[in-house]
Amino acid sequence: MSDTAAKTKRNTRAALGPYGHVGKIVGELDDRLGVAKGGRVFLDKIFPDHWSFMLGEIALYSFVVLIATGVFLSLFFVPSTQQVIYHGSYKPLDGQWVSEAYKSTVGISFDVRGGLLIRQMHHWAADIFTGSIVVHMARIFFTGAFRKPRELNWIIGLTMLILAIFEGFIGYSLPDDLISGTGLRIGYSIAESIPLVGSYVVSFLWGGTFPGDIIIPRFFIIHVLIIPLVLIGLLSAHLGLLVRQKHTQFKAEGRTENNVVGSPLFPTFMAKTTGFLFMVTAATALLGAFAQINPIWQFGSYDASKISYAVQPDWYMGWLDGALRIMPSWELTGLGHTVPLEVFLPAVVFPGLIFTLCGIWPMLERRVTGDNEMHNLLDRPRDRPKRTAAGVAVFALLFTLFAASSTDVLANFFHVSLNQVLWFFRVAVIVVPIISGLVAYQLCREMQGVHGIGQRKRAVIVRRSVEGEYSTVPAEPRADDQHAELDPEPVPVRIDIEPLSNGSTREPASSPTGVRQVSR
Amino acid sequence: MPIAALSDPHMGDAAKNPDRSEKIIAVILFVGVVCFGVAGAAYWQNWSPWTFGGALGAGLFLLGFGLTAWGKYLMPQGPFVEERHTLASTPEERDVMSAALVERSAVVVKRRRMLGGLFAAGAGIFAIVAAFPLIRSLGPLPGDSLEVTGWRKGTVLVDSSGRPIRKNTLVVGGIMTVYPQHTVNPQTGFITADGQAIDQTVLIRVSDQPFTTEPGREDWTPDGYVAYSKLCTHLGCPVGLYEQELELLVCPCHQSMFNVRNGAVPQFGPAPRPLPQMHLGYNDAGYLIAMAPYDQAVGPGFWERTT
């Protein structure tokens, strides 16, 4: 580097001030928007390090994958049930009547380069999205994170789950293949079963009788615009409330109702969470590459008079299918009207009750316990046996119904009669939740009484003396048994980069004892 | 805590040996970049989707893993603490807010009750008027659309290729799906959506003699042919499985079973009603025809259904 160049560089740096171009950009932005003060606070936002806080991130990042892959798919998908004769590269379908929607989806799978991978990533990401929302919600529920002041965010999250289920079902219906078309027919019949208004609902939604030719275009716009838009709005509110109300945290040394302990947004959390975004995307890509999902070219285009055998819906619809299967055939008739309770109760009233119960739970619990305090510290599930038991019972109910959605497969697999399987589930759907709830309650109560629960146990060494007498001695403590927790420190104003000495760029960080102390 | 030095334990790396961790992370990131190269080549050369996706997934995973490890092991770990300031305002501030709402309403709104009432009425009427195009335009009123099918007196039964059915088309135990003749184009094999979704009917030759499914239906089964609506009365799936030994029609969706010899009365499962039976006969050309439309709505139950 010549002297002049070096000089120019020094001058530029001097003109820019001590923080160079970054300082310049911050300055320009701050002049116009006043971002520096709030921005600094935001960079210091503390994220708790507990692994369970990652579950919501999985939902967020699979949603990102869904949008990215969905945009790609929308460039090729044709939302039309216009019937055409297939002449594409998948030869077994050659010459068959198929719908435009089906033809374009097969085209995405075989004729668009990378299309099959993106399609399968999209489907897997949808299953992961709904799944991670449920698991995230379970974490929130069992640790009591929904309590005051976070009731509203609980309801927003629940609304997003319901929308995600609808979005998944609608997206699954779009390719207009034999299996999804059958699912859509069942959806039509469920809507039709609603007393008083059912036939109007289906006639307006489908533009006439099933299947009509408008439902796929309507579902398309609902799937790619309306529900995603609402989801993005709710997601922004969800995260906005999170920033405003700050995170909850588990009880531990130095953690109180009035602080948040963890790592700061920049750089530590940002590195970790961006890495996690890549890993969630990687999971969908690997699943999309190696685990086939929804091979619609094997099913054929939808024909309402054809059907396949032993098919199950996507997992998040399974509990409703199970409920439909084990419901007795109670249809009310009289006074010139019909109420198909065998459909209306399990497929409309039951999910309505479950979601209503979820939605009002924070208020219900506040009413029952009379606890109107603010809560920023999380409960251990064992410390709230009744709530934990209620949650376990509901999950047991949903899992039993989910299993009941494969009565025919189970009957074939275990070589028992379908009737026995059916009655088994009719009994199990009542018995399993009650027993699971009671067991969970008892387990919680017992765990409360165990000394030192949740902490690492010291091994015990059993010795035999020469006389044949046995004795026990506790093992030596291991090096990291003593979690001497660091007292949390406020986020420093700036990191003081010490002048380099003896050519070493990094002073290994160590506590005075020379042992790195690990924070929980 | 104004300034933290790197020697402060809070600012330190979690890694026991930071230099080694740095090297490992560098290798991970480098392999990730190589994977992206492989993915690019796979795309360019149009190799199999699993090569492309596998390389892409591996690259994404390694990049993400490396970045996370960097954050976890080589960045300030804290624990740091942030104070949580109470969100609630002071009682005075609340009172000021409430006072503004209450007092301004008292002055501005309550004295002009009529204006308020008129505006509310206007907004309400607008909501109703706006709801009409939003809801009513979506589709026709149901009317009797759920009760009618394409079958009329004299409609010829045809198979999915448009061929009519004669006395010898099916052997005893045979089964096929039939449609009204006008819904199938024999040249192209195209079947209308209504023909598939509403009119679909299952035709079974149960025996070679007429038989009685129910009293009053003595002449509905010429030559042992019996026809039922193929729409399950539970949720409208096609009743697509036929268990010939037991003479049972089975719906694969939720396992409702219908006995074809006894008027398709449900034997098992959640279906609440028998499948509607078609009154069969022959026309002058010897083709199977419907002697009458279905005597009830086909498919699952709904509010306006009368039987």
Side-chain angles (χ1 to χ4, degrees):
Chain A
M1 196 186 288
S2 71
D3 279 356
T4 9
K7 205 170 174 182
T8 318
K9 200 175 174 190
R10 254 200 312 279
N11 288 346
T12 319
R13 193 174 289 166
L16 284 170
Y19 299 107
H21 289 285
V22 174
K24 173 104 172 112
I25 293 168
V26 169
E28 296 290 343
L29 278 176
D30 195 48
D31 283 344
R32 289 160 182 83
L33 304 168
V35 293
K37 209 171 149 190
R40 170 61 216 267
V41 173
F42 191 61
L43 291 185
D44 288 351
K45 178 174 168 46
I46 293 297
F47 289 80
D49 289 324
H50 196 268
W51 64 268
S52 67
F53 287 67
M54 212 168 57
L55 301 168
E57 286 176 55
I58 301 181
L60 177 64
Y61 295 144
S62 51
F63 187 61
V64 172
V65 174
L66 281 169
I67 290 190
T69 52
V71 167
F72 178 90
L73 295 176
S74 72
L75 301 177
F76 303 98
F77 179 71
V78 182
S80 160
T81 46
Q82 176 71 40
Q83 297 289 312
V84 291
I85 291 180
Y86 181 83
H87 292 296
S89 54
Y90 187 67
K91 290 302 164 203
L93 283 172
D94 195 61
Q96 289 193 22
W97 283 102
V98 298
S99 66
E100 288 269 20
Y102 181 79
K103 185 183 151 200
S104 59
T105 314
V106 174
I108 289 171
S109 308
F110 293 118
D111 302 324
V112 176
R113 198 176 287 192
L116 180 60
L117 177 72
I118 300 288
R119 222 195 101 223
Q120 302 208 124
M121 279 176 76
H122 192 73
H123 201 135
W124 276 116
D127 280 354
I128 294 173
F129 181 52
T130 35
S132 55
I133 294 177
V134 170
V135 181
H136 173 60
M137 241 177 117
R139 199 280 286 174
I140 300 295
F141 178 83
F142 287 114
T143 60
F146 56 81
R147 288 172 300 172
K148 192 177 172 183
R150 294 183 179 78
E151 302 97 325
L152 180 61
N153 231 8
W154 166 260
I155 291 169
I156 291 177
L158 175 70
T159 313
M160 286 198 283
L161 171 65
I162 297 169
L163 284 173
I165 290 175
F166 272 105
E167 179 76 343
F169 178 76
I170 291 174
Y172 174 76
S173 300
L174 283 179
D176 197 36
D177 59 275
L178 185 59
I179 309 254
S180 75
T182 307
L184 198 52
R185 167 72 227 202
I186 292 174
Y188 177 93
S189 306
I190 290 171
E192 198 184 354
S193 78
I194 303 170
L196 286 169
V197 295
S199 51
Y200 291 84
V201 170
V202 293
S203 194
F204 290 164
L205 196 53
W206 267 263
T209 52
F210 184 85
D213 52 12
I214 197 74
I215 193 66
I216 294 289
R218 280 187 183 163
F219 269 12
F220 181 68
I221 206 67
I222 294 172
H223 183 76
V224 302
L225 179 74
I226 298 173
I227 294 184
L229 210 59
V230 178
L231 275 177
I232 288 171
L234 291 173
L235 193 60
S236 312
H238 202 65
L239 297 178
L241 281 175
L242 174 96
V243 171
R244 177 104 175 116
Q245 299 178 329
K246 297 201 167 77
H247 278 84
T248 53
Q249 59 189 352
F250 282 102
K251 286 181 203 122
E253 187 76 36
R255 297 185 201 160
T256 70
E257 287 282 359
N258 298 317
N259 67 11
V260 196
V261 175
S263 22
L265 175 70
F266 185 79
T268 312
F269 180 75
M270 202 176 258
K272 286 202 248 185
T273 196
T274 310
F276 195 54
L277 162 65
F278 277 79
M279 287 197 278
V280 170
T281 315
T284 62
L286 292 173
L287 281 167
F290 298 115
Q292 187 183 63
I293 190 162
N294 204 18
I296 53 145
W297 53 90
Q298 295 177 1
F299 309 150
S301 187
Y302 182 53
D303 170 345
S305 56
K306 290 191 180 139
I307 184 132
S308 184
Y309 170 70
V311 287
Q312 266 84 39
D314 268 336
W315 73 268
Y316 44 83
M317 305 301 288
W319 57 295
L320 291 178
D321 199 53
L324 279 166
R325 283 183 188 216
I326 63 170
M327 180 74 193
S329 53
W330 297 335
E331 187 169 75
L332 287 183
T333 48
L335 306 170
H337 289 291
T338 301
V339 183
L341 289 180
E342 81 281 3
V343 177
F344 182 61
L345 287 185
V348 182
V349 175
F350 170 66
L353 282 177
I354 290 280
F355 287 132
T356 308
L357 179 66
C358 280
I360 63 169
W361 182 272
M363 283 60 89
L364 209 63
E365 190 180 295
R366 209 170 52 200
R367 174 73 60 87
V368 170
T369 59
D371 173 8
N372 203 29
E373 295 297 307
M374 302 280 254
H375 292 283
N376 295 317
L377 283 179
L378 295 172
D379 290 329
R380 292 279 171 190
R382 61 173 175 270
D383 294 332
R384 295 281 179 273
K386 283 180 190 153
R387 182 203 294 147
T388 305
V392 166
V394 169
F395 267 102
L397 171 67
L398 298 181
F399 274 116
T400 311
L401 288 174
F402 178 74
S405 75
S406 41
T407 42
D408 51 340
V409 180
L410 292 171
N412 275 345
F413 187 80
F414 291 111
H415 300 289
V416 286
S417 93
L418 199 55
N419 200 30
Q420 285 168 329
V421 178
L422 182 79
W423 275 101
F424 168 79
F425 277 111
R426 282 181 178 168
V427 175
V429 82
I430 295 164
V431 171
V432 170
I434 293 174
I435 291 184
S436 313
L438 290 176
V439 168
Y441 182 79
Q442 200 55 37
L443 274 178
C444 290
R445 296 299 300 269
E446 305 230 334
M447 282 170 81
Q448 283 174 7
V450 177
H451 176 69
I453 193 159
Q455 285 166 10
R456 184 185 262 192
K457 292 184 183 53
R458 288 267 290 280
V460 172
I461 298 170
V462 183
R463 286 221 176 90
R464 205 183 87 155
S465 66
V466 274
E467 289 83 28
E469 196 181 6
Y470 288 95
S471 61
T472 58
V473 193
E476 289 291 307
R478 278 163 295 195
D480 50 350
D481 266 0
Q482 257 84 52
H483 285 297
E485 290 227 351
L486 285 178
D487 281 335
E489 295 279 347
V491 184
V493 169
R494 66 185 175 87
I495 298 169
D496 185 24
I497 309 292
E498 287 166 311
L500 307 180
S501 56
N502 6 329
S504 158
T505 53
R506 187 188 282 107
E507 197 66 31
S510 57
S511 64
T513 57
V515 177
R516 166 70 193 164
Q517 292 173 309
V518 182
S519 63
R520 284 248 321 241
Chain B
M1 175 91 192
I3 295 175
L6 272 180
S7 57
D8 184 303
H10 292 89
M11 301 309 298
D13 311 322
K16 288 194 179 114
N17 186 343
D19 288 333
R20 196 183 59 188
S21 304
E22 194 177 323
K23 280 180 197 135
I24 294 172
I25 291 172
V27 171
I28 290 172
L29 292 178
F30 179 76
V31 179
V33 172
V34 172
C35 286
F36 285 135
V38 175
Y43 179 82
W44 197 252
Q45 296 297 317
N46 207 9
W47 293 339
S48 62
W50 44 92
T51 318
F52 176 46
L56 199 67
L60 284 165
F61 180 80
L62 291 170
L63 222 61
F65 190 79
L67 188 56
T68 307
W70 184 2
K72 188 167 165 58
Y73 295 111
L74 298 175
M75 283 186 186
Q77 286 308 300
F80 295 112
V81 68
E82 186 184 16
E83 290 306 312
R84 196 192 291 277
H85 303 290
T86 168
L87 289 173
S89 321
T90 62
E92 291 75 35
E93 287 165 328
R94 290 184 188 189
D95 283 348
V96 171
M97 167 93 186
S98 310
L101 282 172
V102 172
E103 283 162 14
R104 286 180 204 179
S105 323
V107 175
V108 182
V109 182
K110 280 195 186 147
R111 282 197 201 154
R112 308 270 189 277
R113 246 185 212 176
M114 204 180 78
L115 294 185
L118 274 176
F119 179 77
I125 290 166
F126 171 73
I128 294 167
V129 171
F132 261 90
L134 277 178
I135 296 169
R136 181 60 192 86
S137 300
L138 287 176
L141 291 173
D144 63 353
S145 64
L146 293 171
E147 331 237 344
V148 296
T149 68
W151 297 102
R152 300 281 172 275
K153 183 177 189 313
T155 305
V156 175
L157 281 64
V158 295
D159 67 9
S160 58
S161 310
R163 284 186 298 259
I165 318 297
R166 290 176 170 282
K167 181 186 172 184
N168 294 325
T169 302
L170 285 182
V171 294
V172 171
I175 177 171
M176 65 162 50
T177 303
V178 291
Y179 308 86
Q181 190 168 33
H182 62 267
T183 63
V184 185
N185 183 330
Q187 270 81 48
T188 61
F190 180 81
I191 309 171
T192 64
D194 282 354
Q196 289 177 336
I198 300 170
D199 307 332
Q200 53 171 314
T201 293
V202 58
L203 178 72
I204 305 167
R205 191 154 188 206
V206 177
S207 76
D208 51 4
Q209 296 293 319
F211 61 98
T212 307
T213 55
E214 278 192 5
R217 297 182 181 175
E218 283 78 8
D219 60 342
W220 288 27
T221 53
D223 293 316
Y225 276 107
V226 66
Y228 294 105
S229 163
K230 204 182 172 188
L231 281 173
C232 184
T233 53
H234 179 221
L235 285 164
C237 291
V239 184
L241 295 174
Y242 181 53
E243 174 56 67
Q244 194 189 327
E245 295 280 308
L246 304 170
E247 296 175 335
L248 283 179
L249 274 172
V250 183
C251 178
C253 284
H254 302 94
Q255 288 77 49
S256 295
M257 297 179 191
F258 306 88
N259 189 319
V260 295
R261 204 176 265 276
N262 300 329
V265 174
Q267 304 275 297
F268 179 85
R273 269 172 284 113
L275 301 168
Q277 187 184 349
M278 180 179 286
H279 184 176
L280 291 176
Y282 290 106
N283 67 5
D284 296 340
Y287 295 143
L288 266 184
I289 56 167
M291 299 301 283
Y294 281 115
D295 58 2
Q296 54 179 297
V298 296
F302 53 96
W303 176 250
E304 291 87 353
R305 195 174 204 288
T306 47
T307 47

